[in-house]
Amino acid sequence: MEVAVVVTAHDQRELVVEAVASVRAQTAPCAELVVVDDGSADSGSLAVLDRLRAEGVRVLRQANAGVSAARNAGIAATRAPLVLVLDGDDRLAPAFLERVVPLLDDPDVVAASSWLGLFGVATGVARPVGGRLVDFLHRNACPGTAVLRRAAWERAGGYDESLRAGFEDWDLYLGMLARGGRVAIEPEALIRYRTAPASANVRSMEHRLDLVRGLVEKHRAAYAAHLTDVLLAQEATAIRRLADWEALVAADPALPLGEPTFGDGGMAAHVRVATARAAG
């Protein structure tokens, strides 16, 4: 199937050139490519956009309205049945489309993506797992860089343009999966995800509780239908993170234990760490 690629940008200068170059370097070329500028005001960024246009890249400009509005505008301006959305500060490995697009040959798959290779201030590999609606209720399970089935994007109403503080991807996936289907993930780091202290993902964590509350209220029927699964999944995450803390402080006596917490397994972990340290 043909794929359109939508690259969104806002005051990102040469980073957008890198994103576009990674699209052009795909081993399985896309059918359409459009860059949507979300109201850049930086002169250097505007010059970059002019240069891309002069090189034959289709560039759309809009007043600053947020990444959701930019993605919706880019998708609406293309025709292919599949659409890849890519942030202007990230890049794709050359085999991304070659490996990920075939996952959508399964009509049950509404979107597909891959693991992420982090670069910048932090490095490593993030391994989202995808899945069905229930797998997305307690946390987002797919990167923002993903190949979307256009029909599923339309049925979900597109990206929610009121979500300008974050979680617009998570919200879209919940909407797309509400009618069934699944999100598929290629288990290879084919997204080059740029990490920076001022990134939108980092900033959204400052408002995480409010953003999650908004998702629960918007998708209340889904959360109510799977309440037990959501609570158990959250508890499983808390247990894993407490175990990680326990192993870390047990291995290094120089780290302070702090006060034991009550009612969440913290007291038991405190006792186990103290016992391990006493045993030497």
Side-chain angles (χ1 to χ4, degrees):
M1 285 185 285
E2 290 189 337
V3 183
V5 179
V6 174
V7 179
T8 57
H10 175 72
D11 284 342
Q12 289 166 322
R13 296 200 171 197
E14 294 292 336
L15 301 184
V16 181
V17 176
E18 296 178 18
V20 169
S22 76
V23 174
R24 287 173 155 174
Q26 291 296 296
T27 54
C30 63
E32 302 173 80
L33 170 61
V34 59
V35 174
V36 182
D37 174 55
D38 184 35
S40 290
D42 172 73
S43 60
S45 297
L46 295 175
V48 165
L49 294 167
D50 288 340
R51 189 169 81 240
L52 286 173
R53 187 182 290 108
E55 294 172 357
V57 177
R58 186 181 181 192
V59 178
L60 304 180
R61 298 204 62 204
Q62 64 178 32
N64 181 249
V67 67
S68 291
R71 289 175 178 171
N72 285 340
I75 295 173
T78 59
R79 293 288 180 267
L82 303 178
V83 185
L84 165 65
V85 292
L86 175 64
D87 289 339
D89 56 350
D90 294 331
R91 304 194 299 253
L92 304 174
F96 181 89
L97 290 178
E98 180 183 349
R99 302 280 181 81
V100 172
V101 170
L103 299 176
L104 287 119
D105 289 342
D106 182 346
D108 193 42
V109 174
V110 299
S113 188
S114 76
W115 291 351
L116 305 94
L118 279 55
F119 71 100
V121 298
T123 59
V125 175
R127 296 175 170 83
V129 297
R132 298 187 178 274
L133 176 64
V134 67
D135 302 304
F136 277 76
L137 292 171
H138 68 285
R139 52 89 172 92
N140 190 8
C142 181
T145 295
V147 181
L148 311 176
R149 198 178 295 279
R150 181 183 295 273
W153 168 81
E154 291 175 342
R155 286 194 299 269
Y159 289 93
D160 187 337
E161 297 183 12
S162 71
L163 296 177
R164 299 193 61 172
F167 287 14
E168 67 284 336
D169 306 314
W170 189 359
D171 172 73
L172 177 70
Y173 299 141
L174 289 173
M176 293 174 73
L177 293 167
R179 295 168 177 80
R182 65 185 178 91
V183 173
I185 300 291
E186 178 67 19
E188 185 178 352
L190 299 173
I191 299 170
R192 308 293 189 242
Y193 183 81
R194 189 183 306 271
T195 59
S199 70
N201 180 57
V202 173
R203 292 197 307 271
S204 70
M205 294 302 102
E206 300 171 3
H207 312 286
R208 184 175 177 87
L209 290 181
D210 289 337
L211 291 170
V212 171
R213 178 185 291 275
L215 290 180
V216 173
E217 291 176 349
K218 180 175 179 179
H219 303 278
R220 182 173 294 277
Y223 279 94
H226 299 282
L227 180 60
T228 300
D229 294 314
V230 173
L231 292 176
L232 290 178
Q234 290 283 25
E235 185 66 15
T237 298
I239 290 170
R240 287 194 302 271
R241 290 178 176 169
L242 184 59
D244 291 341
W245 169 85
E246 184 177 335
L248 181 66
V249 296
D252 187 352
L255 294 175
L257 276 178
E259 291 188 0
T261 57
F262 182 80
D264 60 356
M267 284 180 60
H270 195 94
V271 170
R272 286 192 295 268
V273 171
T275 301
R277 286 183 172 181

